[in-house]
Amino acid sequence: MTGIAVIGVGMGEPEHLTGQAVAALNSVDVFFALDKGSAADELFHLRHDLCRRVITSHPYRFVDVEDPRRDRGAADYGRAVADWIAARATALGEAIRRELGPGERGGLLAWGDPAFYDSTLRVLDALLDPVDVEVIPGLSSIQMLAAAHRISLTRVGRPVQVTTGRRLAACGFPSDCDDVVVMLDPECSFRDVDHVGVTIYWGAYLGSEHQILISGELDAVADEIVAARAEAKRRRGWVMDTYLLRRSS
Ligand SMILES: C[S@@+](CC[C@H](N)C(=O)[O-])C[C@H]1O[C@@H](n2cnc3c(N)ncnc32)[C@H](O)[C@@H]1O
C-alpha cells in the first residue's frame, strides 16, 4: 500500500484510537513529523510513544521535517498563513521525495481530528507532486470536551459553531448561533463577550491524566478559568484548552 495516510490520533492515548487508525498506523513505513514550537516537544514524544505502543507488526521510521517559521506578527494574517502552508508543502514534498522508497507508505499524525484547525490536508493539497491521500478520522478535542462535561453540543434542531479565540475576540458572540465551540484561544477571549445568560464548559489537557474541567455561568467562573489556565501553563510550560459558550435562549 503506498501513498500517504493522515491519521487522527485523538489526544495521543492508545485508547483514543479507532480500530481503523490502529490498522493504518501498522501499515505506515515512514512517519513525517512537521512540528512547531510551544507544546511541540511534549506532543512529539507523545506521538513517538503512541507508535511504540500500538505498532506491533511493522518496522517504521520517523522523519522530522523542519517546520518553516510563520510570521505571527504579519498585518495580513491570511497571506502569512498561505505563505506558511506553501513553505511547509515545499519542505514536506522534499522529505517525501528523499525518504519514501518505491512501494512504501507514508504517514502524518494529526492531533485530534484533521478536520479541525489542522493544516495537514492543506499542506498535502499544496504539494507540487500530488500523492494519494487517505484520511483516517480521530477523536477531536471537541468531542473530548463534550464527553468530559457529559453534554451534547447541539440542542434540539439548533446549530453549533466552531470558531477560534481570535475570531471570537474580533466579532463577539455570533448573533445567530447560541452554541459556540472555541479553540486556539490563548487570550481567554471569553472574558470580553457579553456574559449575560452565558454558560461556559471549559476543558484543558482533555483526555489526558492532567485534564482540568470547569463549568458554570460565565460571570461566576471566568476568573477561575483564567487563573487555572495560567497556573497550568506555569506548571507544564504549555496548555491546550477548548470550551463551549452556551447562551440561554
Ligand atoms: C491546532 S488546533 C488542533 C485541533 C485538533 N485537530 C482537534 O481535533 O482537536 C489546537 C487547538 O485544539 C484544542 N486542543 C487540542 N488538544 C486539546 C486538549 N488535549 N485539550 C483541550 N483542547 C485541546 C485547543 O483549542 C488548541 O488550541
Side-chain angles (χ1 to χ4, degrees):
M1 210 190 299
T2 56
I4 300 277
V6 177
I7 306 167
V9 296
M11 304 291 104
E13 295 293 330
E15 57 268 31
H16 299 160
L17 296 172
T18 64
Q20 190 190 14
V22 172
L25 286 167
N26 276 281
S27 74
V28 167
D29 303 289
V30 185
F31 289 99
F32 296 94
L34 273 163
D35 273 316
K36 52 175 193 303
S38 62
D41 278 356
E42 191 156 340
L43 298 187
F44 176 86
H45 289 299
L46 268 173
R47 277 180 236 163
H48 277 259
D49 198 44
L50 186 68
C51 288
R52 247 195 317 276
R53 290 161 75 185
V54 303
I55 300 177
T56 48
S57 59
H58 193 77
Y60 63 91
R61 59 191 190 278
F62 263 89
V63 169
D64 296 331
V65 182
E66 196 174 334
D67 202 11
R69 288 188 79 79
R70 183 167 132 197
D71 182 359
R72 292 187 177 270
D76 185 342
Y77 178 75
R79 181 75 260 158
V81 172
D83 289 347
W84 178 63
I85 295 284
R88 293 187 112 193
T90 303
L92 180 61
E94 277 165 13
I96 290 174
R97 268 193 303 281
R98 195 178 60 240
E99 300 285 346
L100 205 58
E104 284 193 319
R105 181 160 161 87
L108 286 155
L109 306 185
W111 192 252
D113 186 279
F116 295 108
Y117 297 120
D118 186 288
S119 60
T120 310
L121 297 176
R122 270 177 300 142
V123 171
L124 287 168
D125 272 349
L127 289 179
L128 287 179
D129 303 323
V131 290
D132 281 340
V133 174
E134 185 188 8
V135 179
I136 291 93
L139 274 177
S140 172
S141 54
I142 300 175
Q143 291 156 290
M144 304 300 291
L145 177 78
H149 283 287
R150 291 169 288 169
I151 53 170
S152 165
L153 297 177
T154 49
R155 287 184 276 176
V156 181
R158 307 270 290 273
V160 61
Q161 188 177 109
V162 179
T163 190
T164 63
R166 172 188 282 263
R167 194 166 169 88
L168 185 72
C171 306
F173 203 129
S175 58
D176 58 349
C177 187
D178 292 326
D179 293 278
V180 181
V181 173
V182 184
M183 305 172 89
L184 295 160
D185 186 13
E187 308 300 333
C188 297
S189 307
F190 53 81
R191 283 179 296 186
D192 301 320
V193 301
D194 181 358
H195 285 202
V196 180
V198 175
T199 302
I200 185 168
Y201 297 88
W202 177 83
Y205 311 116
L206 289 160
S208 79
E209 58 177 323
H210 305 285
Q211 176 171 287
I212 312 170
L213 299 175
I214 298 177
S215 64
E217 285 178 23
L218 187 52
D219 252 350
V221 298
D223 290 345
E224 185 190 343
I225 293 172
V226 172
R229 192 183 193 285
E231 170 57 16
K233 183 157 188 202
R234 193 194 57 72
R235 247 192 351 259
R236 292 190 72 197
W238 62 278
V239 59
M240 282 208 285
D241 59 330
T242 302
Y243 56 91
L244 171 74
L245 293 179
R246 169 158 287 171
R247 187 164 48 203
S248 59
S249 42

